[in-house]
């Protein structure tokens, strides 16, 4: 049951109630004063009532402003001295009217003045004690007072009768109106009981726990739902501290901070989730919406509504754990791919480098054919590896584009040249058609060729007979930009409608046996779509089973001027002394052979420790540093070289590595490396990076 403790009203509450009543009847009193002044004109000079009425209006306006109730969000109290002063001013003003009536000497008007004094006394009593008996006395008192005054009077003039009648009517209407507008004590109690019964019904049936606590944290009220949620009856909790069942170590500070926020924003609710101990000893997660209760502008209690969210919190924790596990798995996958990249790229670098050098050696025609087949296989393996690594970069958000001036036609020629032998071997006619002018654009040449290679390569791969046509169209776009459209039409196997919707998904190919028949990872189209989206472009296709497919891509790129051709002079590294730090003997052989042919003098070190020692004692123009090596890796060796207290500490260092992701490049730069060449190492890429490092200003050197 909900119990209501009765207590006598405080002086502040009494004054507040009186102020509210005065504020409500201010306009009524002004109207009644006007009605009372008009009849006085019949029995006295009109200037005296008019002056009194003007003074009354000002006093009542003062009283109306002084008795205004504070706003709900205003914690300041009323200015009680101002309220009392305003009320005393009103009494003085009405008393002046009574004195004015009495000084007329007319008995009837004097009777009206007496009635007015009785009304002021009655209204003052009604402000603090408004029972029906008081209302009856307030209504009858003025009439009785007027009758006593008139007992000695014998002659009444018509004007005086009008004054008395209007005054008595004014007094009676005011008191009766207040009596009808203010409910009796019995009616108030009946309404209060109905409200309490409705509240008790609501509190008994709601599933959330409703509680009121004082500022010390002691429960003053707890709803019956506490039994079902917490195992305690309301009687067991009332009077006890909520801290006794709250997990204080972790929640006390957060609750104190919430209290400070509620105190700073009166009326605002705070939502918090804390742990509460059930009666049987287990801990529950309770979500509470709390609000401060203010009285006279000061906080006195907290009321909150709480619900059990243990299951929801457990689900959230499980989700967070699953997310953490997934992120850990992603990191493990990235590390695995990085390791696999290094392990595959390192021997692949040796294979392709050796085959590249063999092209300048005397060899039989049959051996040269076998060598080219080996080069093709190595390049295919590098392509598959690149697809896997690119997809990993895209998933991790670490794939970045590097735009530079590129000839779109030249990029297509390179792609067609790489695939022309494969198409010719299958008897497939591969040709390209180019339309438009202004073929130089700003784009990432590697990624542009990669997308073109994926589309043309797929067309050649899946076409057994017929033709593959690659069309490139360059048109004007927005000012200063070019619209690029690239299409690849083939007469290959085509695709059924049920597989077209998932074609751009990762590891997907048209048929289940496509990978066995044609090879590939199924990542090329997925990567191509991701690259097109990074370039703000689009990619799509049309296909008919058994007749072929047409793939297309479109994007806009800034136009670029045709650059001057670069000429690489022979013996460009003549007089350059290099230190090659590489643990793989084959890679050292390939790199040394390549560099010495370009005129460089090359010293070797088989790991990071030997590299640091060689850098300390030698005088090198440049250091080529592998990353993953036994005993000491390339990053540690670079830091050690940068820490040498000699001019060797400033020797430029280029990383030779298969780990070429964006975050890895940043790690190399942070260690002090000045450049990077990805494995498998190409002669042009290595020579270009060496030239950049040796000709750049010291402050411009960066990976």
């Amino acid at each position: 049951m909900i119990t209501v403790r009765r207590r006598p009203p405080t002086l502040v509450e009494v004054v507040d109630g009186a102020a509210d009543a005065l504020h409500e009847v201010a306009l009524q009193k002004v109207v009644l004063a006007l009605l009372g002044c008009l009849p006085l004109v019949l029995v006295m000079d009109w200037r005296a009532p008019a002056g009194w009425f003007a003074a009354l209006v000002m006093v009542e306006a003062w009283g109306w402003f002084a008795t205004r109730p504070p706003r709900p969000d205003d914690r300041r109290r009323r200015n009680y001295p101002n309220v009392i002063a305003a009320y005393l001013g009103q009494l003085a003003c009405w008393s002046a009217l009574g004195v004015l009536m009495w000084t007329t000497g007319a008995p009837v008007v004097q009777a009206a003045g007496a009635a007015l004094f009785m009304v002021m006394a009655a209204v003052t009593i009604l402000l603090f004690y408004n029972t029906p008996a008081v209302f009856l006395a307030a209504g009858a008192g003025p009439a009785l007072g007027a009758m006593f005054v008139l007992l000695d009077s014998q002659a009444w003039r018509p004007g005086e009768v009008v004054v008395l009648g209007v005054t008595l009517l004014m007094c009676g209407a005011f008191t009766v109106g207040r009596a009808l507008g203010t409910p009796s004590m019995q009616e108030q109690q009946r309404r209060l009981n109905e409200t309490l019964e409705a509240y008790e019904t609501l509190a008994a049936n709601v599933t959330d726990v409703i509680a009121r606590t004082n500022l010390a944290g002691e429960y003053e009220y707890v709803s019956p739902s506490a039994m079902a949620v917490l195992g305690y009856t309301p009687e067991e909790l009332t009077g006890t501290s909520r801290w006794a069942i709250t997990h204080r170590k972790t929640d006390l500070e957060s609750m104190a901070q919430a209290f400070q926020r509620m105190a700073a924003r009166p009326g605002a609710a705070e939502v918090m989730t804390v742990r509460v101990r059930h009666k049987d000893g287990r801990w529950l997660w309770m979500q509470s919406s709390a609000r401060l209760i203010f009285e006279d502008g000061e906080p006195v209690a907290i009321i909150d509504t709480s619900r059990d969210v243990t299951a929801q919190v457990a689900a959230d924790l499980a989700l967070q754990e699953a997310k953490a596990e997934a992120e850990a798995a992603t990191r493990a996958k990235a590390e695995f791919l990085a390791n696999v990249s290094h392990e595959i790229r390192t021997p692949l670098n040796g294979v392709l480098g050796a085959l590249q050098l063999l092209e300048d050696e005397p060899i039989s025609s049959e051996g040269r054919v076998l060598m080219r087949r080996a080069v093709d296989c190595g390049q295919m393996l590098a392509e598959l590896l690149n697809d896997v690594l690119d997809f990993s970069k895209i998933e991790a958000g670490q794939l970045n584009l590097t735009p530079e001036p590129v000839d779109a036609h030249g990029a297509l020629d390179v792609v067609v040249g790489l695939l022309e032998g494969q198409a010719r071997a299958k008897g497939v006619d591969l040709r390209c058609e180019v339309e438009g002018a202004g073929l130089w654009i700003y784009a990432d040449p590697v990624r542009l060729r990669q997308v073109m290679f994926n589309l043309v390569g797929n067309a050649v791969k899946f076409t057994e007979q017929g033709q593959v046509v690659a069309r490139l169209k360059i048109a004007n776009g927005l000012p200063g930009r070019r619209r690029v459209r690239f299409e690849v039409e083939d007469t290959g196997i085509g695709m059924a409608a049920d597989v077209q919707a998932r074609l751009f998904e990762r590891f997907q190919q048209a048929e289940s046996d496509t990978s066995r028949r044609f090879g590939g990872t199924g990542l090329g189209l997925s990567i191509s779509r991701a690259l097109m989206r990074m370039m703000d472009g689009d990619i799509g296709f049309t296909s008919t089973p058994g007749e072929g497919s047409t793939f297309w891509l479109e994007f806009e790129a800034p136009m670029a001027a045709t650059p001057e051709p670069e000429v690489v002079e022979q013996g460009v590294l003549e007089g350059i002394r290099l230190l090659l730090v590489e643990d793989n003997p084959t890679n050292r052989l390939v790199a040394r052979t390549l560099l010495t042919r370009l005129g460089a003098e090359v010293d070797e070190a088989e790991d990071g420790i030997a590299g640091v020692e060689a850098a300390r004692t030698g005088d090198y123009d440049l250091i080529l540093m592998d990353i993953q090596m036994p005993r000491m890796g390339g990053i540690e060796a670079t830091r050690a070289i940068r820490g040498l207290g000699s001019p060797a500490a400033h020797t430029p260092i280029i990383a030779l590595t298969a780990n070429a992701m964006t975050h890895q490049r940043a790690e190399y730069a942070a260690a002090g490396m000045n450049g990077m060449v990805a494995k498998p190492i190409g002669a042009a890429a290595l020579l270009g990076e060496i030239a950049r490092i040796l000709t750049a200003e010291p402050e411009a050197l960066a990976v």
Side-chain angles (χ1 to χ4, degrees), residues 66-348:
T67 56
R68 284 182 304 172
R71 298 189 305 272
D73 59 343
D74 193 351
R75 296 172 55 187
R76 295 175 297 178
R77 301 183 181 182
R78 276 190 173 105
N79 189 342
Y80 295 117
N82 194 27
V83 172
I84 296 173
Y87 182 60
L88 293 177
Q90 294 173 4
L91 288 179
C93 194
W94 284 99
S95 299
L97 178 62
V99 171
L100 185 65
M101 290 180 174
W102 190 266
T103 58
T104 60
V108 175
V109 179
Q110 289 177 334
L116 181 60
F117 280 112
M118 297 293 292
V119 168
M120 287 190 294
V123 168
T124 302
I125 296 173
L126 287 173
L127 289 173
F128 304 99
Y129 195 66
N130 53 0
T131 63
V134 176
F135 278 118
L136 178 61
L144 293 175
M147 290 176 61
F148 286 133
V149 174
L150 292 175
L151 287 178
D152 296 333
S153 177
Q154 297 178 355
W156 296 353
R157 289 181 295 177
E160 295 173 345
V161 174
V162 172
V163 172
L164 179 61
V166 171
T167 303
L168 293 178
L169 178 62
M170 176 181 66
C171 299
F174 180 73
T175 54
V176 172
R178 291 298 297 164
L180 295 176
T182 305
S184 66
M185 296 298 292
Q186 292 82 359
E187 178 66 16
Q188 291 184 34
Q189 186 62 43
R190 185 186 65 79
R191 294 181 182 179
L192 177 61
N193 291 338
E194 290 178 352
T195 302
L196 290 177
E197 290 175 2
Y199 183 76
E200 180 180 6
T201 302
L202 175 64
N205 290 277
V206 72
T207 57
D208 294 346
V209 179
I210 303 173
R212 174 184 169 123
T213 57
N214 58 28
L215 298 185
E218 296 176 348
Y219 286 107
E220 295 179 346
Y221 167 76
V222 182
S223 64
S225 55
M227 181 66 187
V229 178
L230 300 175
Y232 297 97
T233 63
E235 292 75 16
E236 289 177 309
L237 292 177
T238 303
T240 64
S241 175
R242 73 184 309 156
W243 308 120
I245 60 173
T246 303
H247 196 280
R248 302 186 65 174
K249 290 184 178 180
T250 56
D251 299 328
L252 182 60
E253 183 177 355
S254 63
M255 295 180 73
Q257 293 173 353
F259 178 84
Q260 294 175 356
R261 290 192 295 269
M262 288 188 292
R265 297 185 302 156
E270 280 289 328
V271 179
M272 65 194 83
T273 302
V274 298
R275 279 177 289 180
V276 177
R277 188 177 64 247
H278 193 275
K279 189 175 182 179
D280 60 13
R282 57 193 172 93
W283 288 96
L284 304 177
W285 285 97
M286 301 293 292
Q287 186 180 72
S288 301
S289 177
R291 190 187 305 270
L292 270 178
I293 298 176
F294 291 86
E295 291 183 3
D296 302 326
E298 296 295 331
V300 296
I302 300 173
I303 188 166
D304 61 86
T305 304
S306 305
R307 63 179 54 186
D308 184 1
V309 293
T310 305
Q312 178 182 343
V313 171
D316 291 342
L317 291 175
L319 182 60
Q320 293 177 6
E321 291 178 0
K323 180 182 178 181
E325 292 178 357
E327 291 175 347
T330 300
R331 288 193 297 270
K333 181 182 68 174
E335 293 175 0
F336 171 76
L337 289 175
N339 292 332
V340 169
S341 166
H342 182 271
E343 296 301 324
I344 295 179
R345 283 178 179 267
T346 297
L348 183 60

Side-chain angles (χ1 to χ4, degrees), residues 456-524:
V456 179
N458 283 344
V460 173
K461 182 191 300 183
F462 298 124
T463 300
E464 298 292 343
Q465 58 183 0
Q467 64 180 5
V468 173
V469 181
R471 301 186 181 93
L472 177 64
K473 182 178 180 181
I474 307 293
N476 290 329
L478 296 175
R481 299 177 67 86
R482 294 285 187 263
R483 188 74 182 174
V484 181
R485 181 177 178 87
F486 178 64
E487 294 181 357
V488 180
E489 181 182 0
D490 65 62
T491 57
I493 60 176
M495 291 170 287
D498 59 338
V499 299
Q500 294 184 16
R502 53 185 174 86
L503 187 63
F504 284 102
E505 296 178 7
R506 56 184 178 179
F507 305 114
Q508 292 291 334
Q509 291 182 331
E511 304 293 342
S512 59
D513 63 341
T514 299
S515 180
R516 292 191 298 271
R517 292 174 57 196
F518 299 100
T521 61
L523 291 174

Side-chain angles (χ1 to χ4, degrees), residues 301-607:
I302 300 173
I303 188 166
D304 61 86
T305 304
S306 305
R307 63 179 54 186
D308 184 1
V309 293
T310 305
Q312 178 182 343
V313 171
D316 291 342
L317 291 175
L319 182 60
Q320 293 177 6
E321 291 178 0
K323 180 182 178 181
E325 292 178 357
E327 291 175 347
T330 300
R331 288 193 297 270
K333 181 182 68 174
E335 293 175 0
F336 171 76
L337 289 175
N339 292 332
V340 169
S341 166
H342 182 271
E343 296 301 324
I344 295 179
R345 283 178 179 267
T346 297
L348 183 60
N349 176 62
V351 171
L352 294 180
L355 293 174
Q356 182 180 2
L357 295 175
L358 284 175
E359 291 182 356
D360 297 330
E361 300 293 332
I363 192 173
S364 65
S365 58
E366 182 179 358
R368 192 167 297 277
V369 171
L370 294 175
M371 182 188 65
R372 290 176 179 172
R373 291 289 179 88
V375 171
D376 292 339
C377 292
Q379 291 176 344
M380 184 178 298
L381 178 59
E383 177 189 342
L384 296 177
L385 181 61
N386 287 336
D387 281 349
V388 174
L389 292 178
D390 284 345
F391 185 76
S392 177
K393 293 180 186 178
I394 292 172
E395 277 194 325
Q398 297 173 343
L399 184 63
N400 297 320
L401 299 180
T402 307
E404 61 182 66
V406 57
D407 180 7
H409 188 186
L412 179 58
D413 283 342
V414 171
V415 170
V416 172
L418 291 174
L419 295 169
E420 193 172 24
Q422 181 181 346
R424 186 168 52 252
K426 297 177 65 174
V428 174
D429 181 21
L430 173 61
R431 68 177 189 272
C432 64
E433 301 174 357
V434 179
E435 178 182 349
L439 301 178
W440 280 90
I441 59 175
Y442 274 101
D444 189 322
V446 176
R447 300 307 176 184
L448 179 60
R449 287 193 296 267
Q450 182 178 0
V451 176
M452 289 180 171
F453 187 88
N454 283 336
L455 298 187
V456 179
N458 283 344
V460 173
K461 182 191 300 183
F462 298 124
T463 300
E464 298 292 343
Q465 58 183 0
Q467 64 180 5
V468 173
V469 181
R471 301 186 181 93
L472 177 64
K473 182 178 180 181
I474 307 293
N476 290 329
L478 296 175
R481 299 177 67 86
R482 294 285 187 263
R483 188 74 182 174
V484 181
R485 181 177 178 87
F486 178 64
E487 294 181 357
V488 180
E489 181 182 0
D490 65 62
T491 57
I493 60 176
M495 291 170 287
D498 59 338
V499 299
Q500 294 184 16
R502 53 185 174 86
L503 187 63
F504 284 102
E505 296 178 7
R506 56 184 178 179
F507 305 114
Q508 292 291 334
Q509 291 182 331
E511 304 293 342
S512 59
D513 63 341
T514 299
S515 180
R516 292 191 298 271
R517 292 174 57 196
F518 299 100
T521 61
L523 291 174
L525 291 178
S526 176
I527 294 172
S528 298
R529 181 176 64 176
L531 291 174
M532 278 296 101
R533 289 178 176 176
M534 293 177 66
M535 298 168 68
D536 296 327
D538 197 10
I539 187 171
F541 68 95
T542 58
S543 182
T544 303
E547 297 183 9
S549 306
T550 299
F551 282 80
W552 58 267
L553 62 86
E554 281 188 348
F555 66 95
E556 274 197 359
M559 60 184 298
T562 304
E564 295 294 331
E566 296 183 358
V567 178
V568 179
E569 300 179 359
Q570 294 292 331
V572 67
L573 299 182
E574 191 72 37
I576 302 299
R577 189 162 182 247
L578 304 178
L579 173 63
L580 175 63
V581 186
E582 168 67 66
D583 65 309
N584 188 281
T586 303
N587 289 344
R588 289 203 305 271
L589 172 62
V590 172
R592 184 181 69 249
T593 304
L594 174 62
L595 293 169
T596 53
R597 287 182 178 180
L598 294 173
E601 179 184 350
V602 181
D603 289 342
E604 300 178 19
E606 60 183 10
D607 56 37

